[in-house]
Amino acid sequence: MASSAAGGGSDSRFFTTQKKGEMHELRLELHSTDRLVKVDAVKKVIASMTVGKDVSSLFTDVLNCVQTGNIELKKLVYLYLINYAKSQPELTLLAVNTFVKDANDPNPLIRALAVRTMGCIRVDRITEYLCEPLGRALRDEDPYVRKTAAVCVAKLYDIAPDLVQERGFIETLHDLISDSNPSVVANGVAALSEISETSGRDVMRINASVLQKLLAALNECTEWGQVFILDSLAKYTPAEAREAEGIIERVTPRLQHANSAVVMSAVKVILSYMDVMGGGGGAHDESIRALTRKLAPPLVTLLNSEPEIQYVALRNINLIVQKRPSILENEIKVFFCKYNDPIYVKMEKLEIIIKLVSERNVDQVLLELKEYATEVDVDFVRKSVSAIGRCAVKLERAAERCIGVLLELIQTKVNYVVQESVIVIKDVFRRYPNRYESIIATLCDNLDTLDEPQAKASMIWIIGEYAERIDNADELLDTFLETFEEEDPAVQLQLLTATVKCFLKNPEETQDMVQRVLDLATEESDNPDLRDRGFIYWRLLSTDPEAAKLVVLGDKPVIEDDTFRLEPNLLNVLVGQIATLSSIYHKPPEAFVVRAKRGPVGGDDLGVGDVGEEIEEGDEEEDYEDENDVNNGGGGGDLLDMGGLSVNNASAPAVGGGGMGGMFGAPSPAAASEPGARMSKVCAPDKSGGIELWAGFRQAGGTVALELDVRNVSSNVPVSNLAIQLNKNSFGLSPTNQQIVCNPPVPVGGTRRHSVELVVNPNMLAQVPAGQPASPQIQVAIKNITTGLVFYFAANFALEALFSADGALERAAFIESWKSIDDKKELYGTVSDLPPASTDIDQVAAKFKMHRIFLIARRPVPNAEGQEVAYFSMRTTTGMAFMAELTFKKGVNAAKVCIKTENVAYGVQAKVALETLLRS
């Protein structure tokens, strides 16, 4: 006994490596008659299971140990059963009798353990045996059993919602809210809240009677019970201001709780109810002011916690100061950064400083930001410099002081400080035109330090906008033109526009320069956006120079302060989600939570697919004027970080990928029948050791694939083994297998097609800049294993390869969705020179269906003879939904295309997909 006691002092001994034949020894120990040996054996099994060893072969042996009165052993066996129940469902049924028996045990701990274990075993066939014990447990005399059973109802609802409703368990949960034990009340509320989330219906149904019971339990239950109750109260809408005040009075003491989750949930309740109290005038306004004063101290206290809690608090405070800036208007000092704050905390503090800055405290803030601009962390310095510019945009009276600080920072000659200063000064010029142009000379003195695309583009915009005030504006622009073809698309676009502005202001001296730029833009560039703008300028200048002046040099609206950039409706939703992931992501739950369709309740209303709404940022006030770009060449610039591909000159594939032609209707080398991949040449032999590559994307059997034609043009070494890697991209695509085996090897003159299966990997998803369309480019690196040569190319992804077979909407759902999407989120275009088959709706619908684009309805256009409209829907496998309206006219080989979607950034690619299919 002494040795046994000594050995039982620490369970860490069970995690030591077992010798060979351990399974046999464990099996013998599990059948031992000695209780201590049996307990130790089960502990060893659990330890092996915990570290990832497969001990499922001992299932029946462990299961035999369940017939015991020892609660420690029973807990261990139940833990094992929960883990392996899914892989051994038939054998789990053997334990059902024990569960049922234990559910009637005199010991309440064993009764609760049995019910909890049955709820955790997510096997459908167990549920029919669970209902009777669960029903008894919900009415058990012991509160511990009742509170355990309440949580079990929510778990059962996940597996069998019909069963929960038939057995009346939801009504029983409502009864538990009236329970005398506060922990039971809290678990009942938690279960009802979980069921509401799962089903999409409000099953909580708080009334006056329930309300009082919740408030009474609030003071006595555990801290996490308080969180559940407070979250439920936040969803309740008081009938009048007086009721709201009464609830707030009961909730306010929670602001002083030690648990930050309780504090944030209490803040959420108070903020929600302040809206109900607002607008009443008199006493209500005084009450709101008093509450405002009470909310500041607990929020400030949260900033003394560990960094992770600080970050969560700051993300929530960011929303709170947008909703009610007055709460923390006098507390800006607490958001000043400390030297040892992690970078993610510093960045959030800067955002809040900008939101709280006012004319009263701007001098103090500028001193602080100027200090930050001398830090060693480059990202933090950039954000600080940007913050100074945002203060200038926000506060007109302080703009001059902000400009002064920026000029001081420019004098430091620190490269990244100068570049960020130029970027924000451009915004200041756009906010306050013709006011601070005296500093342009200082900016021009620092041209040599600019090497980043955004800084170059900003400086070029300033030169073009104020060319008449800069004596050598044409010479300055000429220095940029020397490297025009190597510049980022954003820089090229600004150079084109600035040169045209310069020409319109001083035509005699800049005629040759503008001619050169227009030639480069229209004849040498692969970027369709640049080409289109070049052609527009060319036609304007050649036909009507005066009209060109009105267009190019016309007055532009000043930019607005975007400090509080969340739309009011979205902000209200997010404030109602304080203390949840939504308040950290600053996105509504449906943007990132996908719930399975199950049960007969109204959960299907939500659908399962609105994943793609992560693109929306709430501030897309413009629909991006180049919405008709077929392949936005500018998109490649966002993807130049090749990550694990170790590229030294990554700009090469982004600009010269060569895969653009196929998307513009260029002849395809292989006339593959639909729905095959549209192949285009992406890599020439001189860049890849004598191997020529053609690439295209298609979907086959529900799987997205990159089709590669490997052509050995001049490589003396047969192509036998390749490795492939994709850069982060707008679609999150990556290969399931990085090896491409050519069997037999491809000799000189030979060709072989390979299909690389792709999957959507969230870690490979590239961030789409706000207000910009998603780039269609997929950047690819290929390594020839035999020769060791690595080469790169970029191919444009065909979005129809991502469309899923469940994209058809019911007509009523289509109409409702169409009406619910803001007209600002529409994209228009006209497709001309269509083949005859693409002007017949029946043939178009058949072609589209092959690509999982479904016809919903068609109708003639009223008062327009010969015109007909067809409506289509499609959905990607990642959940992005698109709706299309196509208008055809009899005898005209063209069609108008209109796309509506919440996923605006990907709308351009959806439109490109339809246009390309129509032209094919």
Side-chain angles (χ1 to χ4, degrees):
M1 287 293 290
S3 64
S4 177
S10 171
D11 284 346
S12 61
R13 61 196 171 95
F14 297 115
F15 289 88
T16 57
T17 304
Q18 304 289 328
K19 56 184 178 294
K20 287 185 177 180
E22 59 178 322
M23 289 295 180
H24 177 68
E25 290 189 9
L26 284 174
R27 186 171 281 113
L28 291 176
E29 290 175 8
L30 288 169
H31 289 280
S32 172
T33 55
D34 187 328
R35 183 178 62 83
L36 291 176
V37 172
K38 189 177 288 190
V39 169
D40 279 2
V42 178
K43 284 183 178 180
K44 289 176 187 176
V45 172
I46 298 294
S48 298
M49 183 179 78
T50 305
V51 297
K53 290 183 181 177
D54 182 13
V55 286
S56 59
S57 60
L58 299 173
F59 192 92
T60 52
D61 304 287
V62 176
L63 189 57
N64 288 332
C65 297
V66 80
Q67 302 289 348
T68 177
N70 182 285
I71 192 164
E72 180 188 15
L73 181 56
K74 197 174 286 286
K75 281 183 178 179
L76 291 170
V77 173
Y78 280 0
L79 184 61
Y80 177 90
L81 290 177
I82 291 170
N83 191 64
Y84 282 111
K86 276 195 175 179
S87 60
Q88 307 273 3
E90 299 297 329
L91 293 175
T92 308
L93 292 174
L94 300 175
V96 165
N97 288 335
T98 306
F99 292 142
V100 174
K101 179 183 173 185
D102 285 351
N104 292 310
D105 196 276
N107 187 336
L109 292 177
I110 292 180
R111 294 202 299 273
L113 182 63
V115 171
R116 182 174 65 193
T117 305
M118 290 181 78
C120 290
I121 296 176
R122 304 177 67 81
V123 177
D124 289 338
R125 294 181 62 182
I126 290 283
T127 56
E128 57 191 273
Y129 300 100
L130 172 61
C131 291
E132 288 300 328
L134 181 57
R136 287 196 301 272
L138 286 168
R139 294 175 173 82
D140 197 281
E141 61 183 18
D142 191 282
Y144 181 74
V145 180
R146 295 199 298 275
K147 78 170 191 173
T148 304
V151 176
C152 188
V153 173
K155 292 178 178 176
L156 178 60
Y157 189 90
D158 253 355
I159 308 170
D162 294 344
L163 207 55
V164 171
Q165 292 194 319
E166 288 171 13
R167 295 287 184 141
F169 288 149
I170 292 178
E171 287 70 23
T172 309
L173 288 177
H174 282 289
D175 295 340
L176 291 184
I177 293 178
S178 305
D179 199 280
S180 57
N181 186 289
S183 294
V184 176
V185 175
N187 279 24
V189 170
L192 286 169
S193 300
E194 179 65 25
I195 291 171
S196 294
E197 291 288 332
T198 305
S199 67
R201 296 184 308 140
D202 179 20
V203 297
M204 187 68 198
R205 300 196 301 271
I206 298 177
N207 52 35
S209 171
V210 171
L211 182 64
Q212 294 308 313
K213 289 163 185 169
L214 293 179
L215 292 172
L218 188 60
N219 296 323
E220 300 176 40
C221 62
T222 64
E223 53 193 13
W224 297 112
Q226 292 178 40
V227 170
F228 284 121
I229 292 175
L230 288 169
D231 286 348
S232 294
L233 291 174
K235 297 172 185 174
Y236 172 67
T237 305
E240 56 180 3
R242 185 176 299 175
E243 184 186 9
E245 281 189 61
I247 298 172
I248 288 175
E249 190 175 334
R250 303 277 292 274
V251 168
T252 302
R254 303 300 108 205
L255 294 173
Q256 298 170 11
H257 202 283
N259 188 317
S260 53
V262 176
V263 175
M264 290 309 303
S265 293
V267 169
K268 173 166 61 177
V269 173
I270 294 171
L271 284 174
S272 300
Y273 289 7
M274 283 169 77
D275 288 339
V276 178
M277 296 166 58
H284 293 312
D285 288 345
E286 183 56 41
S287 297
I288 288 177
R289 281 193 290 271
L291 285 171
T292 298
R293 290 192 294 272
K294 287 180 181 178
L295 284 174
L299 292 173
V300 170
T301 303
L302 290 174
L303 298 182
N304 295 322
S305 309
E306 48 267 36
E308 293 81 6
I309 292 179
Q310 282 188 56
Y311 176 76
V312 173
L314 287 166
R315 291 295 285 173
N316 282 272
I317 289 170
N318 193 321
L319 296 173
I320 293 168
V321 296
Q322 291 187 65
K323 179 73 174 175
R324 294 191 177 272
S326 58
I327 291 175
L328 291 163
E329 62 184 357
N330 298 320
E331 304 289 346
I332 194 168
K333 275 190 177 180
V334 302
F335 298 104
F336 287 172
C337 301
K338 300 172 185 174
Y339 76 95
N340 59 346
D341 279 340
I343 184 64
Y344 55 86
V345 170
K346 287 182 177 179
M347 293 295 201
E348 285 307 314
K349 284 185 173 180
L350 276 180
E351 281 293 329
I352 294 169
I353 288 172
I354 295 164
K355 288 177 172 61
L356 293 177
V357 70
S358 64
E359 290 174 6
R360 286 183 302 151
N361 57 30
V362 67
D363 289 327
Q364 192 178 18
V365 169
L366 286 176
L367 280 173
E368 194 73 15
L369 293 175
K370 186 179 175 183
E371 186 70 25
Y372 299 160
T374 61
E375 293 273 356
V376 294
D377 190 293
V378 175
D379 290 335
F380 182 53
V381 171
R382 284 179 173 279
K383 186 88 170 178
S384 302
V385 175
S386 175
I388 296 170
R390 289 172 67 182
C391 288
V393 171
K394 181 180 179 182
L395 304 171
E396 185 172 355
R397 292 185 183 179
E400 192 165 346
R401 280 171 281 174
C402 297
I403 289 285
V405 173
L406 288 171
L407 288 176
E408 288 179 39
L409 293 174
I410 288 174
Q411 297 307 321
T412 64
K413 301 294 183 182
V414 178
N415 179 276
Y416 50 84
V417 173
V418 173
Q419 301 204 81
E420 195 66 34
S421 299
V422 170
I423 292 168
V424 297
I425 286 173
K426 182 201 76 170
D427 289 337
V428 175
F429 283 175
R430 292 177 66 195
R431 175 70 168 166
Y432 310 111
N434 303 314
R435 196 180 298 185
Y436 299 109
E437 285 69 26
S438 57
I439 68 171
I440 291 176
T442 307
L443 300 180
C444 292
D445 291 341
N446 291 276
L447 274 182
D448 294 340
T449 64
L450 305 181
D451 55 24
E452 295 180 4
Q454 197 176 356
K456 283 184 179 180
S458 299
M459 190 67 226
I460 291 166
W461 181 88
I462 292 171
I463 295 170
E465 190 70 14
Y466 300 102
E468 70 277 11
R469 305 189 188 191
I470 305 173
D471 296 336
N472 60 338
D474 54 335
E475 295 175 14
L476 296 176
L477 289 176
D478 204 44
T479 60
F480 289 106
L481 287 176
E482 293 172 5
T483 57
F484 182 89
E485 292 177 321
E486 289 78 40
E487 294 290 359
D488 186 87
V491 178
Q492 292 177 332
L493 287 165
Q494 284 295 354
L495 264 174
L496 174 60
T497 301
T499 307
V500 172
K501 286 180 181 177
C502 205
F503 170 74
L504 291 171
K505 293 174 181 179
N506 187 11
E508 291 81 8
E509 297 182 13
T510 55
Q511 185 167 353
D512 291 341
M513 185 167 69
V514 79
Q515 183 65 51
R516 191 162 108 236
V517 172
L518 289 172
D519 285 340
L520 286 169
T522 56
E523 296 178 12
E524 304 295 330
S525 174
D526 287 332
N527 185 339
D529 187 22
L530 187 64
R531 278 208 311 270
D532 289 350
R533 191 180 293 191
F535 281 128
I536 289 171
Y537 285 153
W538 200 319
R539 286 164 188 161
L540 272 172
L541 293 172
S542 60
T543 56
D544 193 345
E546 290 305 314
K549 284 186 178 181
L550 291 174
V551 171
V552 181
L553 302 179
D555 292 334
K556 300 166 190 65
V558 297
I559 63 171
E560 297 297 325
D561 171 32
D562 66 347
T563 304
F564 301 98
R565 61 172 176 260
L566 286 178
E567 294 175 356
N569 290 339
L570 176 60
L571 180 59
N572 288 334
V573 170
L574 295 179
V575 168
Q577 296 289 337
I578 280 177
T580 68
L581 275 178
S582 280
S583 65
I584 298 174
Y585 292 153
H586 288 188
K587 293 173 184 174
E590 58 269 20
F592 58 89
V593 176
V594 183
R595 291 203 174 272
K597 289 184 180 179
R598 57 165 76 251
V601 291
D604 286 356
D605 295 342
L606 295 176
V608 297
D610 297 332
V611 178
E613 291 177 15
E614 69 267 20
I615 305 305
E616 61 89 26
E617 288 291 338
D619 60 340
E620 301 195 38
E621 65 271 12
E622 57 189 33
D623 263 338
Y624 197 65
E625 61 188 31
D626 47 345
E627 60 184 14
N628 288 319
D629 289 358
V630 177
N631 294 301
N632 185 349
D638 300 324
L639 302 176
L640 295 185
D641 177 13
M642 294 294 286
L645 298 187
S646 304
V647 182
N648 295 323
N649 57 344
S651 58
V655 177
M660 310 283 268
M663 300 296 282
F664 283 94
S668 174
S673 61
E674 293 292 340
R678 294 191 303 278
M679 306 296 287
S680 57
K681 183 179 175 180
V682 292
C683 202
D686 57 337
K687 292 184 179 179
S688 50
I691 301 171
E692 183 177 277
L693 291 178
W694 293 70
F697 296 88
R698 66 189 291 257
Q699 185 182 134
T703 301
V704 182
L706 166 61
E707 299 289 327
L708 279 178
D709 279 349
V710 181
R711 303 182 180 185
N712 188 343
V713 176
S714 57
S715 173
N716 293 325
V717 181
V719 184
S720 60
N721 202 350
L722 304 174
I724 183 170
Q725 185 169 338
L726 270 59
N727 188 20
K728 286 188 175 182
N729 52 78
S730 302
F731 312 95
L733 295 171
S734 66
T736 57
N737 186 354
Q738 293 185 310
Q739 295 296 313
I740 301 175
V741 179
C742 304
N743 189 13
V746 185
V748 176
T751 300
R752 183 159 290 109
R753 174 166 291 194
H754 294 275
S755 185
V756 180
E757 184 178 329
L758 303 177
V759 292
V760 177
N761 180 352
N763 295 326
M764 291 295 291
L765 187 64
Q767 187 66 36
V768 179
Q772 299 286 327
S775 169
Q777 281 195 343
I778 307 289
Q779 294 178 348
V780 184
I782 299 281
K783 182 176 182 179
N784 189 330
I785 303 298
T786 308
T787 63
L789 178 67
V790 180
F791 45 95
Y792 311 93
F793 65 86
N796 288 324
F797 183 64
L799 189 64
E800 64 267 26
L802 208 56
F803 290 160
S804 67
D806 64 348
L809 291 175
E810 294 293 333
R811 185 166 179 158
F814 182 94
I815 294 170
E816 184 179 346
S817 299
W818 184 275
K819 290 179 179 177
S820 68
I821 298 176
D822 195 308
D823 288 345
K824 291 181 180 178
K825 296 179 180 177
E826 289 185 358
L827 292 92
Y828 293 96
T830 301
V831 200
S832 54
D833 299 324
L834 296 179
S838 291
T839 59
D840 179 89
I841 292 181
D842 290 327
Q843 294 187 55
V844 169
K847 182 195 299 183
F848 278 11
K849 190 173 182 181
M850 294 172 67
H851 294 272
R852 300 159 297 283
I853 302 169
F854 301 95
L855 177 67
I856 305 300
R858 57 191 290 183
R859 62 175 178 82
V861 178
N863 304 318
E865 187 177 350
Q867 286 196 34
E868 192 170 4
V869 178
Y871 295 93
F872 296 86
S873 75
M874 49 258 173
R875 181 191 295 275
T876 65
T877 55
T878 55
M880 294 186 290
F882 304 93
M883 293 175 288
E885 178 188 72
L886 271 61
T887 306
F888 299 89
K889 186 173 183 180
K890 191 174 181 180
V892 177
N893 63 339
K896 290 181 181 178
V897 179
C898 170
I899 295 284
K900 256 194 172 187
T901 178
E902 292 289 357
N903 309 287
V904 180
Y906 291 82
V908 172
Q909 300 311 319
K911 187 163 73 67
V912 168
L914 296 191
E915 292 173 349
T916 307
L917 291 175
L918 284 170
R919 287 195 177 104
S920 65

